[in-house]
C-alpha cells in the first residue's frame, strides 16, 4: 500500500560511529519532481496574473511604447515629458552612480512605463464604456445596423490581442441598479395575469406605497454598495439564497448532467473512469494556465464574466450551524473516490506528471478489486451531506475536528473533486426509454443518498456498465460553468479512445503506488446522526418524480424557419402545457445570466406574461389560426424583450431581493417586499446552453448529442423543467416534481409539453419541404 511504500523512504540507524542515514533515492526523486511541479505551477500563475493585470496591454506593447518614446526624445531632440525624464533620472536612488545619459535612459523608461500604463487604463475604461451599451441586443437576428457595426469595430479595437480567460475582468462594467419605480412597474406588469382585480389593486397599493416611502431609502444603500462593490447582488445572493439555507442541498439545490444517450464508448467501469478523470484533470491544467478561451456573445465580440471558474476545482461547501461557507484551496494533487462504502485517496501525479488514462484506470481497478469491508459508520457517512445542514455542522465539529477523522475528512474536502464508482447500472434503453431515462436521472440527482459527497463542487459518477454523469453543488457557480467542463469531457472521450477490449489506451505503470484507504473512528452517537440525516434524505429522494425525454420531432432548425426565437417558442409551449396540466397560470421562473457584468450570476425572466396568457387562452378557445399566430408573435416578442432586460441589468427579482436584504439590515418591515419574496415559483425552468459547438460535429455524428441535465422541483406543488437545444433537430427535456403533490405528475406534464410543441408548430402550416 502507499503508506507502506512511503514509510521506508527515509530511515536512520544510530551507531557508535554516528547516525547513518538510509535514503531512498526514488522517494527523494519524487519529492524533487513534486516540488518542481509546484514551482512551475506558481510561476505560471504569477505570469498569468501579470498578463491579466495589464490586459489589454502586453510585454510587446510595453517595448513598443517605451522604445518609441525614447527614440522620439533622442532623435528629435525634444522632451515631450516637459523635463520629467531629467528629474526622474536625477532623483532615483542610483542616480549618483550612473552617467547623465544613463539617467536619461532610466528616466525615459520610467516615463514610458507611465505612458504605457496610461494607455492601458484609457483602453480599459473605453472598453468598459463600450461594453455598457447593449443596443445590439434589440436588433433582429441576421440584421446588423450601422451603429452596431461601428460599435463592434471599436470593441474589437480596444479588446487587445489573444485574451486569456480572466483578461476582461477589469474591463467589464458593474451591474447597474434599476430605479425603484421601474422595478415596481415591471413587477406589477408581471403579476397582472395571475391576480384578479381585487388582489391586483391591493398589490398595486402596496407597491406605490413602497415606491414613495421606504423604497428610496433602501435604494440609497444599494446605490452606495454598487459604487463600492464589484457587484451589488452576487455576494448576498450566494450567502442568503445558498449558504444560509438549512434544508438539504441534495435535490433542493444540487443539479446533474447526463452522459451521451446513444453512444457507449466502453462497458468497463474503470476504463471509462480513466479517460474521464484524465480529461477533467487536463481541463484543470488548462484552467490553471488560463488557457481556456473567454466566453463571448455576438460572434465572439462581447466577453462574459469568467469569475465563476475560479472555484471549480479543489472546492467544498463547509457546513455551519447558521450559515455554510465555501472552502477553496489553490492546489490539490489528489481526488477522493467512493466505492461500496469505502473512501479512497488517489494521487493524480507521479514522476512529476499527470497520470495517464491507463494509469488512472489501473488505480480504479485496484479500488474495484479491494474486498475490504467498510469501517463502522463509514458506508453511509456521506448521508450527512445529504440531510439538513445544522446536524451535519454540529457532527462535523464534534466528531471530525481532530485525529484520523479530521485527516480523512480533509482528504475529501481538499480533493480536486469527488468520484463515485457506482455499483448500479444506468443507461438509455431504446426498448424501455421512459423508465431507463427516469432511473438514470434519479440516480444522478440523489443516488442512494449516501454514495455522493454533495458538498463537493462536483461529483463524477461512473456506473458499473461504463456510463457516467455528474452531480454539482450550486453555491459556487451556475450550471453553464460546469456545463463548459462537461462539454470538454464528452468531447475528449472519443479522442482519448479505447482498445478493442474496452480499456484505456496505453499500459499500466509497474511501480505506481496504490490508492490510500481513508481511516475513520465513528462513534455510536455520530452513527445515529448519520442515520437521522439518511432518513431525511431518503424521504426527500423518494418523493422526487423525474422524467427525462428527447424530443426528436423537430428542433431549433424548424423553429427558426418560423422566424421565432427557439427559447421563446419553448417557454410559450411550457405555458400552454402548464395550463392544460393544471387549468391555471402560475408564477414562472426562467433563469437568465447577468455575466455581461463583472461577477454577474443570474436573473429571473418571468415567463408568464399577459401576452403569453392571451395566446394560451386563444389555444383553449375557438380562435382562428391567424389570431393565434398574431398573439404568439406578440408573446414571443414580449419574452425576448424581458430576456434582454434581465441580461442587461434591468430585471425585477434580484433588485427586489437586495432591497429586502437592506430592509432587514435596517430593521424595517415592508409588506410589499415580504409578499413579493414569499410568492412560490410553481414552474421553474432553465435552458442549458451549448457553449462549444466546435467540439461536436452533430451533422456527421448526431449520436454524440449531449443529453443536458436537470434539477429538483422548487415548489412542493410545482415543476422543475430543464431543456437543452442540441443541434438543429433535437431538444432534450428534464422534468421533476413531487409524488406527494396531487397536482403534479412529471410524465403527464411531459406529454403536455410534447403536444404543446406540436400544436404551436401546426399554426405555421409549414409544408413538407420546409419541415425537412
Amino acid at each position: 500500500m502507499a503508506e507502506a511504500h512511503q514509510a521506508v523512504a527515509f530511515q536512520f540507524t544510530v551507531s557508535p560511529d554516528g547516525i547513518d542515514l538510509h535514503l531512498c533515492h526514488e522517494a527523494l526523486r519524487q519529492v524533487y519532481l513534486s516540488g518542481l511541479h509546484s514551482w512551475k505551477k506558481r510561476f505560471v500563475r504569477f505570469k498569468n496574473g501579470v498578463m491579466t493585470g495589464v490586459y489589454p496591454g502586453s510585454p510587446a506593447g510595453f517595448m513598443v511604447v517605451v522604445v518609441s518614446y525614447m527614440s522620439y526624445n533622442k532623435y528629435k531632440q525634444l522632451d515631450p515629458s516637459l523635463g520629467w525624464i531629467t528629474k526622474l533620472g536625477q532623483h532615483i536612488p542610483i542616480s549618483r552612480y550612473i552617467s547623465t545619459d544613463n539617467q536619461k535612459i532610466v528616466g525615459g523608461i520610467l516615463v514610458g512605463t507611465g505612458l504605457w500604463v496610461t494607455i492601458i487604463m484609457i483602453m480599459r475604461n473605453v472598453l468598459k464604456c463600450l461594453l455598457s451599451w447593449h443596443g445590439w441586443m434589440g436588433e433582429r437576428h441576421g440584421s446588423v445596423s450601422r451603429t452596431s457595426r461601428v460599435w463592434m469595430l471599436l470593441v474589437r479595437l480596444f479588446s487587445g490581442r489573444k485574451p486569456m480567460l480572466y483578461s476582461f475582468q477589469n474591463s467589464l462594467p458593474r451591474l447597474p441598479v434599476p430605479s425603484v419605480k421601474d422595478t415596481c412597474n415591471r413587477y406589477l406588469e408581471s403579476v397582472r395575469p395571475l391576480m384578479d382585480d381585487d388582489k391586483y389593486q391591493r398589490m398595486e397599493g402596496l407597491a406605490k406605497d413602497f415606491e414613495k416611502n421606504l423604497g428610496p431609502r433602501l435604494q440609497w444603500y444599494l446605490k452606495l454598495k454598487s459604487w463600492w462593490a464589484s457587484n451589488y447582488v452576487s455576494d448576498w445572493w450566494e450567502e442568503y439564497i445558498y449558504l444560509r439555507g438549512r434544508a438539504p442541498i441534495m435535490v433542493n439545490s444540487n443539479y446533474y448532467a447526463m452522459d451521451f444517450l446513444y453512444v457507449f464508448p466502453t462497458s468497463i467501469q474503470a476504463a471509462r473512469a480513466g479517460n474521464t478523470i484524465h480529461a477533467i484533470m487536463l481541463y484543470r491544467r488548462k484552467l490553471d494556465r488560463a488557457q481556456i478561451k473567454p466566453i463571448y456573445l455576438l460572434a465572439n465580440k462581447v466577453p462574459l464574466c469568467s469569475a465563476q471558474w475560479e472555484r471549480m476545482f479543489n472546492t467544498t461547501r463547509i457546513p455551519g450551524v447558521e450559515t455554510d461557507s465555501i472552502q477553496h484551496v489553490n492546489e490539490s494533487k489528489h481526488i477522493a473516490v467512493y466505492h461500496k462504502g469505502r473512501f479512497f485517496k488517489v494521487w493524480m501525479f507521479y514522476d512529476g506528471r499527470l497520470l495517464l488514462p491507463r494509469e488512472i484506470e489501473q488505480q480504479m481497478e485496484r479500488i474495484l478489486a479491494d474486498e475490504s469491508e467498510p469501517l463502522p459508520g463509514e458506508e453511509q457517512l456521506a448521508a450527512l451531506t445529504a440531510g439538513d445542514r445544522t446536524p451535519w455542522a454540529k457532527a462535523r465539529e464534534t466528531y471530525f475536528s481532530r485525529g484520523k477523522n479530521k485527516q480523512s475528512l480533509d482528504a475529501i474536502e481538499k480533493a480536486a473533486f469527488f468520484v463515485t464508482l457506482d455499483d448500479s447500472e444506468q443507461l438509455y434503453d431504446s426498448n424501455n426509454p421512459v423508465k431507463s431515462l427516469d432511473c438514470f436521472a434519479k440516480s444522478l440527482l440523489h443516488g442512494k443518498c449516501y454514495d455522493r459527497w454533495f458538498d463537493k463542487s462536483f461529483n463524477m459518477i461512473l456506473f458499473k456498465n461504463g456510463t457516467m454523469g455528474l452531480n454539482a453543488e450550486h453555491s459556487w457557480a451556475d450550471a453553464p460553468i460546469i456545463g463548459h467542463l462537461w462539454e470538454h469531457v464528452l468531447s475528449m472521450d472519443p479522442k482519448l479512445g479505447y482498445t478493442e477490449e474496452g480499456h484505456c489506451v496505453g499500459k499500466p505503470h509497474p511501480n505506481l503506488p496504490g490508492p490510500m484507504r481513508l481511516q475513520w473512528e465513528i462513534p455510536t452517537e455520530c452513527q445515529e446522526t448519520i442515520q437521522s440525516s439518511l432518513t431525511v434524505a431518503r424521504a426527500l429522494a423518494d418523493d422526487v418524480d423525474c422524467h427525462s425525454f428527447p424530443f426528436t420531432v423537430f428542433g431549433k432548425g424548424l423553429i427558426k424557419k418560423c422566424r421565432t426565437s427557439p427559447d421563446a417558442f419553448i417557454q410559450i409551449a411550457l405555458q400552454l402545457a402548464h395550463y392544460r396540466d393544471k387549468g391555471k397560470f402560475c408564477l414562472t421562473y426562467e433563469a437568465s445570466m447577468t455575466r455581461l457584468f463583472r461577477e454577474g450570476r443570474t436573473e429571473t425572466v418571468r415567463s408568464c406574461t399577459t401576452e403569453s396568457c392571451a395566446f394560451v387562452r386563444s389555444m383553449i378557445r375557438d380562435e382562428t389560426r391567424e389570431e393565434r399566430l398574431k398573439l404568439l408573435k406578440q408573446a414571443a416578442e414580449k419574452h425576448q424583450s424581458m430576456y434582454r432586460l434581465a441580461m442587461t441589468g434591468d430585471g425585477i427579482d434580484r433588485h427586489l431581493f437586495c432591497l429586502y436584504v437592506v430592509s432587514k439590515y435596517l430593521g424595517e418591515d415592508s409588506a410589499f417586499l415580504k409578499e413579493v419574496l414569499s410568492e412560490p415559483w410553481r414552474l421553474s425552468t432553465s435552458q442549458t446552453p451549448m457553449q462549444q459547438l466546435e467540439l461536436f460535429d452533430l451533422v456527421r455524428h448526431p449520436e454524440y448529442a449531449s443529453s443536458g441535465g436537470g434539477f429538483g422541483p422548487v415548489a412542493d406543488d410545482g415543476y422543475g423543467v430543464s431543456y437543452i437545444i442540441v443541434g438543429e433537430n433535437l431538444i432534450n427535456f428534464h422534468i421533476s416534481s413531487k409524488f406527494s403533490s396531487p397536482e403534479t405528475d412529471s410524465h403527464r406534464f411531459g406529454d403536455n409539453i410534447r403536444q404543446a410543441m406540436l400544436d404551436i408548430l401546426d399554426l405555421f402550416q409549414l409544408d413538407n419541404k420546409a419541415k425537412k
Side-chain angles (χ1 to χ4, degrees):
M1 295 298 287
E3 56 267 34
H5 178 83
Q6 293 164 358
V8 297
F10 174 77
Q11 299 179 11
F12 64 92
T13 303
V14 179
S15 66
D17 297 326
I19 299 177
D20 183 17
L21 298 176
H22 306 283
L23 300 178
C24 174
H25 294 287
E26 176 61 22
L28 290 177
R29 179 172 172 271
Q30 294 302 324
V31 170
Y32 166 75
L33 291 173
S34 179
L36 185 63
H37 171 80
S38 295
W39 279 105
K40 283 182 178 179
K41 199 166 186 178
R42 291 178 186 177
F43 173 76
V44 168
R45 283 179 176 168
F46 173 77
K47 183 195 74 172
N48 290 340
V50 171
M51 296 294 287
T52 299
V54 301
Y55 197 83
S58 65
F62 171 76
M63 294 300 298
V64 169
V65 171
V66 172
V67 172
S68 299
Y69 181 86
M70 295 180 66
S71 299
Y72 181 81
N73 178 50
K74 180 175 181 179
Y75 292 108
K76 292 290 185 179
Q77 297 298 314
L78 296 173
D79 184 5
S81 69
L82 301 178
W84 277 100
I85 288 181
T86 304
K87 291 179 181 178
L88 286 173
Q90 291 174 348
H91 289 86
I92 57 176
I94 60 173
S95 61
R96 69 184 67 179
Y97 304 111
I98 58 179
S99 65
T100 303
D101 289 340
N102 287 337
Q103 288 181 16
K104 290 182 178 180
I105 292 174
V106 174
I109 292 174
L110 293 175
V111 174
T113 301
L115 179 61
W116 178 65
V117 171
T118 302
I119 294 172
I120 290 173
M121 297 306 297
I122 291 173
M123 290 183 67
R124 188 176 290 176
N125 283 282
V126 170
L127 181 59
K128 184 179 293 187
C129 292
L130 289 170
L131 295 177
S132 299
W133 184 76
H134 303 112
W136 56 272
M137 297 188 70
E139 297 179 354
R140 289 188 174 274
H141 184 72
S143 63
V144 182
S145 67
R146 182 179 299 176
T147 302
S148 292
R149 287 197 180 103
V150 172
W151 174 81
M152 285 189 286
L153 180 64
L154 291 173
V155 168
R156 174 174 290 184
L157 178 65
F158 286 95
S159 289
R161 296 177 62 252
K162 297 182 180 179
M164 296 185 293
L165 180 62
Y166 302 115
S167 293
F168 291 106
Q169 291 305 103
N170 292 322
S171 300
L172 291 173
R174 299 188 184 198
L175 184 68
V177 183
S179 70
V180 175
K181 181 179 180 180
D182 288 346
T183 297
C184 288
N185 288 340
R186 282 196 286 268
Y187 168 78
L188 290 172
E189 182 184 1
S190 72
V191 297
R192 185 64 187 94
L194 305 175
M195 296 180 176
D196 58 31
D197 292 343
D198 292 338
K199 287 184 179 179
Y200 178 76
Q201 288 177 7
R202 174 182 169 276
M203 183 55 72
E204 187 178 34
L206 291 175
K208 295 300 180 184
D209 178 73
F210 174 78
E211 178 188 331
K212 181 180 179 181
N213 297 311
L214 181 59
R217 184 182 171 201
L218 304 181
Q219 179 81 346
W220 185 87
Y221 286 96
L222 273 194
K223 285 281 189 180
L224 184 64
K225 185 185 179 186
S226 72
W227 296 333
W228 177 252
S230 300
N231 189 294
Y232 81 93
V233 175
S234 294
D235 58 337
W236 285 351
W237 185 254
E238 180 179 295
E239 179 180 357
Y240 293 106
I241 298 301
Y242 294 115
L243 299 180
R244 290 214 178 190
R246 300 296 82 198
I249 60 174
M250 183 199 76
V251 174
N252 293 323
S253 180
N254 285 32
Y255 55 93
Y256 67 87
M258 194 177 281
D259 198 359
F260 294 125
L261 288 186
Y262 313 112
V263 177
F264 306 99
T266 179
S267 60
I268 300 176
Q269 184 179 22
R272 193 74 193 281
N275 271 359
T276 299
I277 294 170
H278 182 75
I280 294 174
M281 295 302 293
L282 288 179
Y283 185 93
R284 191 182 78 158
R285 184 166 68 186
K286 291 178 67 176
L287 184 59
D288 288 340
R289 296 176 179 178
Q291 293 174 341
I292 296 174
K293 296 179 180 178
I295 310 300
Y296 295 91
L297 292 182
L298 193 64
N300 293 338
K301 300 293 191 306
V302 184
L304 299 180
C305 179
S306 302
Q308 294 182 53
W309 263 268
E310 294 173 353
R311 298 183 293 183
M312 179 178 288
F313 294 97
N314 326 328
T315 299
T316 302
R317 176 170 172 162
I318 304 298
V321 175
E322 294 182 356
T323 182
D324 294 352
S325 59
I326 297 178
Q327 172 186 281
H328 172 75
V329 294
N330 288 329
E331 178 71 9
S332 179
K333 297 182 180 180
H334 71 277
I335 62 172
V337 181
Y338 177 92
H339 177 246
K340 287 190 175 181
R342 293 87 41 81
F343 292 88
F344 297 85
K345 181 179 182 179
V346 182
W347 294 102
M348 286 288 99
F349 295 86
Y350 188 74
D351 274 347
R353 61 166 177 81
L354 176 65
L355 295 186
L356 300 174
R358 185 63 184 91
E359 294 167 344
I360 298 175
E361 179 185 356
Q362 177 182 353
Q363 299 290 56
M364 299 301 113
E365 287 172 339
R366 289 170 170 174
I367 292 174
L368 292 171
D370 190 324
E371 297 181 352
S372 60
E373 293 295 321
L375 297 170
E378 181 183 16
E379 181 178 11
Q380 298 175 343
L381 172 63
L384 290 171
T385 69
D388 292 325
R389 304 303 293 172
T390 300
W392 170 209
K394 293 179 179 178
R396 187 178 185 277
E397 176 63 29
T398 305
Y399 306 112
F400 298 92
S401 59
R402 63 191 67 85
K404 62 176 62 177
N405 283 353
K406 185 181 188 307
Q407 294 177 357
S408 295
L409 184 62
D410 280 347
I412 295 173
E413 293 182 339
K414 295 180 180 178
F417 55 94
F418 192 86
V419 175
T420 294
L421 298 176
D422 204 299
D423 54 3
S424 67
E425 296 186 359
Q426 305 291 340
L427 80 164
Y428 172 72
D429 184 357
S430 58
N431 297 319
N432 191 3
V434 175
K435 185 177 180 181
S436 62
L437 268 184
D438 294 353
C439 290
F440 203 159
K442 277 185 70 69
S443 181
L444 292 174
L445 184 61
H446 54 68
K448 298 176 183 176
C449 303
Y450 60 80
D451 53 353
R452 288 94 170 92
W453 199 269
F454 293 100
D455 287 354
K456 285 300 291 181
S457 55
F458 65 92
N459 290 241
M460 272 306 308
I461 302 153
L462 287 306
F463 294 101
K464 193 175 181 180
N465 58 336
T467 58
M468 66 177 182
L470 178 149
N471 182 287
E473 201 275 318
H474 208 327
S475 65
W476 63 274
D478 300 310
I481 310 306
I482 206 72
H484 195 273
L485 164 68
W486 194 235
E487 290 172 4
H488 167 85
V489 172
L490 293 179
S491 67
M492 283 293 293
D493 206 21
K495 295 175 185 176
L496 293 172
Y498 299 89
T499 65
E500 292 183 359
E501 296 79 17
H503 292 282
C504 295
V505 177
K507 296 181 180 180
H509 195 292
N511 302 316
L512 189 65
M516 184 175 73
R517 173 79 185 275
L518 299 184
Q519 301 298 311
W520 310 89
E521 289 181 354
I522 303 176
T524 304
E525 296 82 0
C526 183
Q527 294 181 38
E528 292 174 355
T529 304
I530 293 171
Q531 289 302 313
S532 177
S533 293
L534 183 58
T535 301
V536 171
R538 277 177 171 164
L540 179 60
D542 291 344
D543 196 23
V544 177
D545 178 15
C546 286
H547 178 44
S548 301
F549 65 92
F551 183 81
T552 57
V553 182
F554 62 89
K556 73 174 182 181
L558 198 55
I559 296 175
K560 286 182 177 179
K561 291 180 180 179
C562 303
R563 295 186 177 180
T564 305
S565 157
D567 185 68
F569 186 101
I570 295 171
Q571 284 292 327
I572 294 169
L574 291 177
Q575 291 298 314
L576 178 57
H578 186 274
Y579 191 87
R580 287 172 171 172
D581 185 81
K582 288 190 175 183
K584 58 184 178 182
F585 299 107
C586 72
L587 195 61
T588 304
Y589 183 112
E590 181 188 5
S592 169
M593 62 89 179
T594 56
R595 285 166 51 216
L596 288 168
F597 304 96
R598 189 171 182 179
E599 297 181 17
R601 291 200 59 162
T602 61
E603 179 57 275
T604 305
V605 179
R606 294 181 167 230
S607 300
C608 182
T609 62
T610 301
E611 290 79 3
S612 67
C613 291
F615 166 74
V616 169
R617 290 191 182 98
S618 75
M619 295 293 288
I620 304 301
R621 298 194 299 259
D622 188 18
E623 298 282 358
T624 64
R625 185 184 73 87
E626 290 74 15
E627 180 63 21
R628 289 172 175 174
L629 267 177
K630 175 185 174 183
L631 294 172
L632 174 63
K633 290 291 185 182
Q634 292 175 356
E637 288 175 5
K638 179 64 176 180
H639 181 270
Q640 286 296 93
S641 174
M642 293 187 64
Y643 207 99
R644 287 192 292 268
L645 287 171
M647 286 182 63
T648 54
D650 285 321
I652 302 168
D653 291 277
R654 299 302 177 269
H655 186 205
L656 292 174
F657 161 74
C658 288
L659 290 170
Y660 180 76
V661 173
V662 174
S663 73
K664 287 301 176 183
Y665 279 131
L666 297 179
E668 297 279 1
D669 281 332
S670 169
F672 170 69
L673 291 177
K674 188 178 294 184
E675 193 156 334
V676 168
L677 271 72
S678 63
E679 294 169 341
W681 301 97
R682 291 192 171 89
L683 182 56
S684 182
T685 71
S686 178
Q687 179 187 170
T688 303
M690 287 198 68
Q691 304 167 83
Q692 303 169 89
L693 297 175
E694 70 279 3
L695 298 180
F696 304 92
D697 186 355
L698 295 178
V699 176
R700 297 175 59 186
H701 299 286
E703 68 275 11
Y704 284 103
S706 170
S707 3
F711 53 89
V714 174
D716 291 339
D717 56 349
Y719 291 109
V721 181
S722 176
Y723 53 93
I724 180 171
I725 302 172
V726 186
E728 298 294 308
N729 304 303
L730 175 65
I731 304 171
N732 286 315
F733 286 92
H734 299 260
I735 305 169
S736 65
S737 62
K738 291 193 174 182
F739 288 115
S740 58
S741 172
E743 296 185 28
T744 57
D745 184 312
S746 294
H747 293 76
R748 184 184 71 210
F749 193 50
D751 292 338
N752 283 323
I753 292 175
R754 293 185 189 91
Q755 191 59 52
M757 296 279 287
L758 294 171
D759 289 347
I760 294 177
L761 182 68
D762 285 344
L763 294 177
F764 293 93
Q765 293 185 346
L766 298 178
D767 55 31
N768 291 331
K769 183 178 180 180
K771 290 182 180 180
K772 291 179 181 179

